[in-house]
Amino acid sequence: MLREATPHHTTPQDTSDSEGARRSDLGRAQQTPPLSAGGPPFFGRVLTATGAAPHPPPPYELLAGAPPALALSAPESSPVLSSMAKLTPWQLLATGLFIFFFQSVLLQNQVGNNCLNLCGKNASCKNVSGNYSCSCQRDFWRKSNKEKTFKNISENDCISCKRYPKEENCKEGYKLCAGDTEKCCVDTTCKSEQCGKHGMCKRDCADSYCECKPGFYLPKGGSEFKNVSEDNCEDIDECKRNVSTCGPKGSCINTEGDYYCKCKPGYGKSPKDDRKLCRDINECNENHCDETAHCINYEGSYSCYCPPGYFQYSNAVQENKTKIKCKEFNYPIPSWNNCSDKQSFLCNITTQLENLFGSPPNVSSQMDSKRHLWETLDKLDNLLNLMEAENKQQTHQVATKIMELMEARLRMFAFSLPNGTTTIKPKAGTKLVMEIRTAENTGQGLAQLWLEETQMKVSWEAASKKGEGPSVVGLLSYEDLGSILTGAHVEGSDWEEIVKSKQATSKPNYKVLSKVASAFVGHNETTALSNPVTFSFNHPEPESNVVKVICAFWKPTETGGNWSQEGCERLNISTANRTYCRCNHLTSFAVLMAFYDVEDWGLSIITKIGLVVSLICLFFSILTFLFCRAIQGIRTTIHLHLCLALFAADVIFLCAGISSNTGACVVVAGLLHYLFLCVFCWMLLEGVQLYLMVVQVFNTHSLKHWHIFLVGYGLPAVLVGISAAINSKGYSRKNCWLSRERGFLWSFLGPVSFIIMVNAVVFLITVWRLSEKFADINPDMTKLKKQRVLTITAIAQLCILGITWIFGLFQFSNQTLVMSYLFTIFNSLQGLFIFLLHCVLKKQVRDDYYRWLCQSRHGKTQSSDKYSEFSSTSGSNTLRSPKTLKESGI
């Protein structure tokens, strides 16, 4: 609480003593500003009885605990005191506390600021509670006693201690100066062991002290210590002190005495940024992409891409660089713009070629390259399948372009494949094998490539060319290209000899005996190789009518292409089923089988006349089975549908021989496949019905109509559907029948052979049972008559059961010409035999014929014939009832 102070009276002695001391002290600190300088007019001033503000006491007196007298004496007219007199006791108490606190803060700041100037030059002041102390700075000591500490500025005589004049002996920590034995210099050697592993020993005149190395600190605080027993330096964990020290794109990792920032991929530390912050790296400035690719940088990463017109064939990482490599892709697709009806195939094929070759492949690894090759070969096979039914000249034109594009594309793909041999071998389809070597590993040896049926040998010298990248040798074996290229012109000396040779009633022809194989290397200068290339082809053994086996290659022309022998020869080491060829250039090769088409006019005439006669007879047989009431029954229904199926098959067969449309030939082959299977299924039903009638005597059940229709028409449809689904290319476009390739012909021969075997067994059983029962059926019949009746019955059943088709199974070569004649005679006249034996020789049918022709109204004639005499006889119950026997015709 503030109050007015009474005047303080002092003696002259006290005054003089205190005044002298005060003046002495004030003289030393005359630069120190007054305590209340710049402060408010009341707070912090020491007021005398007269109201004047005396000089403040020295700061060290304040620190020593000698507070000045606070004598608040002011005239009665003072506005401050007048206002304070009006305050309540609580207000005065709060005001006093505030004044005390504020003055203490000012006093402390004043003392702390003045401490810096209390010890003088080359000295440091240390503030302590209620006082201060002085000491010389590092590498300084007092001149008078070579000590460090002193009381106040009056004792400050600090000088450098690095060297001093020698007295007797140099002090501890000193040694004689080099070159000046009259002076002692500080010994810079220091015992680092006393400071520990992470401390540094330093000299301070005769004394030594320890400091922590950068990145370490003293757990007890401070910056220096005497030895490890006093304190020890520990690592500063900068990552914990500041978790964001590396920024959002990096992670801080603390190390002993330091730390470092581990940046995320795509980020790094700039050499100009000592804060170790992670920043985006512009990888494009560091040439991370291959020279053939373009680079684009973005935050945290980058990407390499191929420019337009190039394709990517490698994406390997080498030396921390993504080696995306690009290769120019420039293979123009031919365009046939004339989209008339005759040229529609060329227009459609352009779209297919665009899908296959139009866009560059997107491959980034060797696995992608192999996968893309598999897809390319699969698309190629689908494209070749579309070409088989088209015009030959157009298909030759398209096939030539396809072979050129495939070779160019495979050369390009070689850059994306690994060194060594790469083989693409689907179970069914076009196959590929390629071998790639670097220029250093090429050597002078032979490159040997094997596929299942083709082999090639070529020197690496011929396959290599400077500046063309790796050395590449490839062999592509097409699955179905041989049938497409059949019919093209052949040029060469061997073929000319065949054409000039005179062969009666024949013309020269050829067949592509082997697979068509395209051979290529890494460059396209292959028209004249320095070393010849050797091929070997596995193929079926030629037939006996083959004149010559020719090694030929496909030669592109403006209108398409043709086969040529130029530059190729067949080697003498060739065998019947393997041909060796040697050529001095590379393209697409194959083995041609030259022969003469020898047409047997006898068979042709028999076939055509027999089919015409059979069609007429089948027509009358169908009318007979439809309108003759006397023979109606389940067996007659089977006869009727057998004739209908056989009639339709014969008509289509004759029409197929007249037409030359190869596209319709496939449809004709499918219809003939179905109709002839229907014929044999109805023959099977004939045999089953005959067995039930002759053998199963006491079985009153017979075939139902829905049974026979399901077997007669449904079963063939199922067999044809399964066959077409398994091998849709099995229907030949050449002869409008089933192809022998891949065993497709057995989709017809298999069911036919089974039905013929079943019916042959039924035929033998029937004849045997009939021969046993002749005596029971008609005891009065003579032996000769029995033999004639049995022979006629057997012939009738042979024709109706189709057993004569067995001759067709033994037609293998020209040596089986007799079988061919028998097969042609019996089966072309099958309709005639059915009409004679199942219509004309039946009494009931003859009666109906007579009634239809003569319009007779008399009853049924009781006459008999050699065949019906046996069939109409009743009287024995050993077989069937008379009605059943009449229906059966037995």
Side-chain angles (χ1 to χ4, degrees):
M1 182 175 178
L2 299 176
R3 61 181 178 83
E4 292 188 11
T6 58
H8 179 68
H9 300 281
T10 58
T11 61
Q13 181 67 30
D14 296 335
T15 301
S16 62
D17 294 341
S18 61
E19 189 68 18
R22 185 174 294 123
R23 287 178 180 176
S24 176
D25 293 336
L26 288 175
R28 300 188 188 98
Q30 57 184 352
Q31 296 178 351
T32 305
L35 181 64
S36 60
F42 174 75
F43 299 109
R45 287 182 176 269
V46 180
L47 301 178
T48 62
T50 60
H55 295 286
Y60 54 82
E61 288 190 8
L62 295 176
L63 293 173
L70 184 60
L72 299 177
S73 176
E76 293 181 359
S77 60
S78 174
V80 177
L81 295 179
S82 299
S83 61
M84 292 183 66
K86 299 178 181 179
L87 298 176
T88 62
W90 289 106
Q91 291 175 335
L92 290 174
L93 177 61
T95 303
L97 292 174
F98 177 74
I99 293 172
F100 176 76
F101 173 76
F102 187 73
Q103 191 170 3
S104 298
V105 172
L106 289 177
L107 186 62
Q108 183 70 23
N109 290 338
Q110 184 72 19
V111 172
N113 292 335
N114 289 337
C115 182
L116 299 176
N117 297 318
L118 291 178
C119 297
K121 186 179 180 181
N122 298 327
S124 58
C125 176
K126 183 177 182 181
N127 185 43
V128 296
S129 179
N131 205 341
Y132 70 97
S133 64
C134 297
S135 63
C136 295
Q137 294 180 355
R138 297 292 183 196
D139 298 328
F140 288 88
W141 60 15
R142 294 186 64 189
K143 181 178 180 181
S144 56
N145 57 7
K146 297 183 173 53
E147 297 292 336
K148 300 286 287 185
T149 60
F150 56 93
K151 292 182 179 181
N152 50 50
I153 195 172
S154 63
E155 298 180 356
N156 186 346
D157 57 350
C158 296
I159 63 172
S160 175
C161 65
K162 291 185 178 180
R163 58 192 304 167
Y164 70 92
K166 177 182 176 183
E167 296 174 353
E168 293 181 359
N169 294 322
C170 293
K171 293 173 62 70
E172 183 180 357
Y174 283 82
K175 62 182 180 180
L176 292 176
C177 295
D180 190 357
T181 59
E182 296 299 325
K183 291 184 179 181
C184 295
C185 293
V186 65
D187 190 358
T188 56
T189 59
C190 188
K191 298 180 179 180
S192 300
E193 297 81 8
Q194 67 182 20
C195 300
K197 179 180 178 182
H198 305 304
M200 299 182 297
C201 179
K202 293 189 175 182
R203 281 288 183 182
D204 183 18
C205 298
D207 200 1
S208 63
Y209 66 97
C210 298
E211 286 184 353
C212 290
K213 295 178 181 178
F216 296 88
Y217 75 104
L218 293 174
K220 296 180 180 180
S223 60
E224 61 183 52
F225 59 102
K226 283 292 184 181
N227 49 53
V228 293
S229 61
E230 178 183 323
D231 205 347
N232 197 10
C233 300
E234 295 184 3
D235 176 56
I236 300 173
D237 193 342
E238 295 87 354
C239 298
K240 287 185 178 180
R241 288 191 176 186
N242 185 7
V243 294
S244 61
T245 186
C246 294
K249 305 302 181 183
S251 56
C252 181
I253 299 177
N254 185 64
T255 59
E256 193 173 67
D258 200 0
Y259 74 98
Y260 69 92
C261 295
K262 184 178 181 180
C263 299
K264 295 180 179 179
Y267 294 87
K269 296 185 286 290
S270 173
K272 297 181 180 180
D273 185 7
D274 57 357
R275 293 181 297 169
K276 300 185 178 180
L277 287 176
C278 294
R279 303 179 184 274
D280 175 56
I281 299 174
N282 190 350
E283 293 87 351
C284 295
N285 294 334
E286 302 175 4
N287 298 324
H288 277 260
C289 297
D290 188 76
E291 59 183 6
T292 58
H294 290 181
C295 179
I296 180 172
N297 183 70
Y298 52 89
E299 183 70 21
S301 186
Y302 73 102
S303 64
C304 302
Y305 66 95
C306 294
Y310 288 75
F311 86 102
Q312 175 184 325
Y313 67 86
S314 176
N315 192 17
V317 178
Q318 300 175 0
E319 299 177 358
N320 297 326
K321 295 181 180 180
T322 305
K323 293 295 185 181
I324 289 181
K325 295 186 178 181
C326 305
K327 181 73 175 176
E328 186 176 5
F329 181 86
N330 185 19
Y331 303 107
I333 303 300
S335 178
W336 293 281
N337 298 320
N338 184 11
C339 292
S340 60
D341 293 339
K342 295 183 178 180
Q343 300 291 330
S344 59
F345 164 69
L346 296 179
C347 296
N348 295 333
I349 211 69
T350 302
T351 304
Q352 300 294 332
L353 291 176
E354 285 285 351
N355 295 334
L356 184 58
F357 303 109
S359 58
N362 183 16
V363 293
S364 58
S365 65
Q366 296 174 355
M367 291 300 297
D368 286 345
S369 300
K370 292 184 179 181
R371 177 184 53 80
H372 190 84
L373 282 177
W374 278 86
E375 295 175 355
T376 300
L377 296 184
D378 184 60
K379 292 178 181 179
L380 175 64
D381 289 331
N382 295 334
L383 180 59
L384 295 178
N385 291 338
L386 298 175
M387 297 168 54
E388 291 187 5
E390 302 300 330
N391 178 273
K392 284 296 182 181
Q393 183 177 357
Q394 293 180 358
T395 55
H396 294 167
Q397 188 177 0
V398 175
T400 301
K401 193 61 183 179
I402 288 177
M403 287 186 281
E404 292 176 356
L405 290 173
M406 278 301 300
E407 290 183 21
R409 195 175 184 91
L410 292 174
R411 283 195 201 98
M412 177 186 66
F413 252 98
F415 287 87
S416 63
L417 295 174
N419 292 335
T421 303
T422 299
T423 305
I424 308 295
K425 281 186 178 182
K427 292 182 178 179
T430 301
K431 300 173 179 60
L432 170 68
V433 59
M434 296 176 66
E435 186 173 357
I436 302 171
R437 290 188 182 182
T438 59
E440 298 79 11
N441 298 328
T442 299
Q444 301 296 325
L446 288 177
Q448 300 187 36
L449 298 183
W450 285 85
L451 285 175
E452 294 178 354
E453 300 175 353
T454 311
Q455 179 189 8
M456 178 179 72
K457 294 181 180 181
V458 62
S459 66
W460 282 108
E461 181 181 357
S464 305
K465 182 183 177 182
K466 292 183 178 180
E468 292 291 337
S471 298
V472 180
V473 178
L475 187 63
L476 180 67
S477 177
Y478 294 94
E479 180 68 18
D480 299 313
L481 191 57
S483 59
I484 296 174
L485 300 182
T486 299
H489 174 66
V490 181
E491 61 181 30
S493 57
D494 291 340
W495 181 255
E496 290 177 359
E497 291 179 4
I498 297 172
V499 174
K500 292 179 181 179
S501 62
K502 296 181 179 180
Q503 187 97 4
T505 66
S506 63
K507 62 178 181 178
N509 202 348
Y510 72 91
K511 176 184 178 182
V512 180
L513 192 60
S514 68
K515 301 287 186 183
V516 178
S518 290
F520 59 93
V521 293
H523 57 90
N524 54 8
E525 297 180 5
T526 58
T527 54
L529 297 177
S530 57
N531 296 316
V533 58
T534 303
F535 298 93
S536 62
F537 298 90
N538 284 348
H539 51 74
E541 187 172 345
E543 299 177 3
S544 59
N545 63 333
V546 172
V547 177
K548 203 163 192 178
V549 175
I550 301 173
C551 290
F553 71 95
W554 184 256
K555 181 180 179 180
T557 61
E558 294 181 358
T559 58
N562 59 262
W563 294 107
S564 176
Q565 293 181 254
E566 183 182 357
C568 292
E569 61 176 338
R570 183 173 182 264
L571 302 181
N572 294 330
I573 59 175
S574 301
T575 61
N577 55 4
R578 187 168 188 83
T579 300
Y580 292 85
C581 304
R582 183 167 59 197
C583 303
N584 59 9
H585 54 81
L586 291 181
T587 179
S588 298
F589 300 88
V591 175
L592 305 184
M593 180 180 67
F595 57 91
Y596 289 106
D597 277 335
V598 180
E599 185 176 1
D600 194 324
W601 293 100
L603 287 175
S604 178
I605 293 174
I606 292 174
T607 300
K608 292 177 181 179
I609 294 177
L611 288 177
V612 171
V613 173
S614 289
L615 287 173
I616 297 173
C617 294
L618 286 172
F619 177 75
F620 287 112
S621 299
I622 292 170
L623 294 178
T624 301
F625 296 140
L626 279 173
F627 300 109
C628 186
R629 298 180 180 179
I631 59 173
Q632 294 299 315
I634 190 68
R635 191 156 189 248
T636 302
T637 302
I638 296 174
H639 291 343
L640 172 64
H641 288 280
L642 171 62
C643 293
L644 287 172
L646 189 57
F647 183 87
D650 289 345
V651 169
I652 294 176
F653 185 83
L654 281 176
C655 294
I658 299 173
S659 175
S660 61
N661 191 336
T662 57
C665 202
V666 176
V667 179
V668 170
L671 288 175
L672 289 177
H673 189 195
Y674 173 73
L675 290 173
F676 278 116
L677 284 179
C678 289
V679 169
F680 276 94
C681 285
W682 287 110
M683 291 179 182
L684 176 64
L685 292 170
E686 291 275 5
V688 173
Q689 180 66 19
L690 184 62
Y691 178 81
L692 293 176
M693 293 171 59
V694 176
V695 180
Q696 300 291 331
V697 178
F698 301 102
N699 188 354
T700 59
H701 299 286
S702 62
L703 295 174
K704 305 296 183 183
H705 280 82
W706 70 272
H707 289 161
I708 61 176
F709 289 124
L710 183 62
V711 174
Y713 293 115
L715 183 59
V718 173
L719 294 175
V720 172
I722 294 175
S723 302
I726 294 175
N727 184 11
S728 60
K729 298 180 293 183
Y731 297 104
S732 175
R733 292 173 170 83
K734 184 177 180 181
N735 53 13
C736 301
W737 185 232
L738 278 64
S739 172
R740 293 185 180 184
E741 295 182 3
R742 299 172 59 183
F744 188 74
L745 186 60
W746 283 101
S747 64
F748 176 75
L749 292 181
V752 167
S753 301
F754 173 76
I755 292 173
I756 289 176
M757 280 195 308
V758 172
N759 285 350
V761 173
V762 171
F763 170 75
L764 294 176
I765 293 175
T766 302
V767 173
W768 171 62
R769 293 297 298 270
L770 288 177
S771 62
E772 286 184 343
K773 301 301 180 181
F774 270 134
D776 298 333
I777 295 174
N778 196 342
D780 299 330
M781 186 181 297
T782 64
K783 183 176 181 181
L784 180 61
K785 203 172 191 178
K786 290 179 182 179
Q787 291 176 350
R788 284 184 297 181
V789 171
L790 183 60
T791 302
I792 295 173
T793 304
I795 295 174
Q797 298 309 316
L798 279 174
C799 295
I800 205 72
L801 295 178
I803 298 176
T804 55
W805 277 71
I806 199 170
F807 296 112
L809 299 179
F810 296 96
Q811 298 184 81
F812 301 114
S813 63
N814 293 337
Q815 283 73 21
T816 59
L817 192 60
V818 176
M819 291 291 182
S820 299
Y821 273 94
L822 291 175
F823 172 77
T824 303
I825 293 172
F826 280 114
N827 291 286
S828 63
L829 298 174
Q830 188 175 7
L832 174 63
F833 294 147
I834 292 175
F835 178 69
L836 291 176
L837 298 174
H838 293 276
C839 294
V840 176
L841 294 181
K842 277 192 175 183
K843 179 179 178 301
Q844 301 95 321
V845 176
R846 289 200 311 272
D847 290 344
D848 283 346
Y849 287 163
Y850 182 78
R851 186 169 56 252
W852 293 341
L853 295 174
C854 301
Q855 300 294 324
S856 174
R857 295 185 179 181
H858 58 79
K860 293 183 179 181
T861 305
Q862 301 298 324
S863 61
S864 179
D865 56 49
K866 298 177 183 179
Y867 177 65
S868 61
E869 180 180 358
F870 169 71
S871 63
S872 61
T873 304
S874 61
S876 176
N877 293 328
T878 306
L879 294 176
R880 296 276 184 177
S881 62
K883 181 181 178 181
T884 305
L885 291 173
K886 289 180 181 180
E887 289 180 358
S888 64
I890 299 179

